[in-house]
Each structure stands twice: as C-alpha cells, then as structure tokens.
Amino acid sequence: MAVHLHASIAATMAISTEDREFFVTLGERIAALRRAHEVSQVQLAEVLGVSQQTLQSYEVGRRRIPVSALPTVARTLSVSLEELFGEGQQATRSKRVPVPKWQQ
C-alpha cells in the first residue's frame, strides 16, 4: 500500500514538457537580468536564502523556482514581475498595442 501511495505522489508531481520549457526560459531570463544588473549568483542566492548551487539550478531549469521567491528576484534585479516573465518585452515589440487615453 505504501508503494502505491508513494508512486501516486510522484506521478502528481511530474512536470510537463511545457512547464519545463517555461522554467528553463524563466531561469535563462533571470540569469540574463542578473548579469545585466551586475548581481552575482552568490548575491542573489543570499537574498533568496538559498545556496549558490540552488540558484544555479533555478537558472538552468533543473529546479523550479518557488513562486513566492519571484517578487524578491524582481525587486533585487530592479524589474517588474511582467519583465521577469518576459511580458514587457512582448508588449514593446508589438506594433498594435492600443495606447490608453491617459498616455496619449
């Protein structure tokens, strides 16, 4: 019985290919932003309360970064959560984004 329970838990914790790609891309973005802001892996790891090896695992997508850590990452790298997720880049690339009246 314990074997079935353990196998069931492992099955529910599996990550899809799409999710894996998301975390790899997010990790790459975090690494690029970290380097652009001249923050070392050790420095960002200290802020997050994790080891440098754990941060490296986040950046290469070997481990999923906890959602609760994302605001701290964004704040430390002086970017918005949208920019951290790459949303700001997409919005600025698009030529057909309607401009709010208050910005006109």
Side-chain angles (χ1 to χ4, degrees):
M1 173 113 175
V3 173
H4 292 295
L5 180 60
H6 180 68
S8 174
I9 292 172
T12 61
M13 296 181 75
I15 186 168
S16 71
T17 302
E18 185 177 295
D19 286 346
R20 170 120 175 93
E21 289 174 7
F22 169 81
F23 283 104
V24 167
T25 302
L26 177 61
E28 290 170 350
R29 196 172 300 110
I30 289 170
L33 288 166
R34 179 183 56 73
R35 287 189 295 270
H37 288 89
E38 298 180 354
V39 175
S40 71
Q41 281 186 337
V42 171
Q43 291 169 320
L44 185 54
E46 286 177 358
V47 170
L48 294 175
V50 299
S51 69
Q52 180 268 333
Q53 292 82 5
T54 298
L55 182 68
Q56 182 182 28
S57 292
Y58 295 157
E59 289 185 351
V60 297
R62 228 181 354 259
R63 293 183 69 177
R64 292 182 274 182
I65 186 167
V67 173
S68 60
L70 295 176
T72 302
V73 171
R75 193 170 32 257
T76 302
L77 300 178
S78 302
V79 297
S80 66
L81 285 173
E82 290 82 9
E83 189 174 354
L84 191 63
F85 287 124
E87 297 296 320
Q89 295 171 349
Q90 291 172 353
T92 57
R93 284 187 208 154
S94 176
K95 293 181 181 178
R96 294 186 162 224
V97 176
V99 178
K101 289 191 181 220
W102 64 270
Q103 284 185 331
Q104 294 174 359

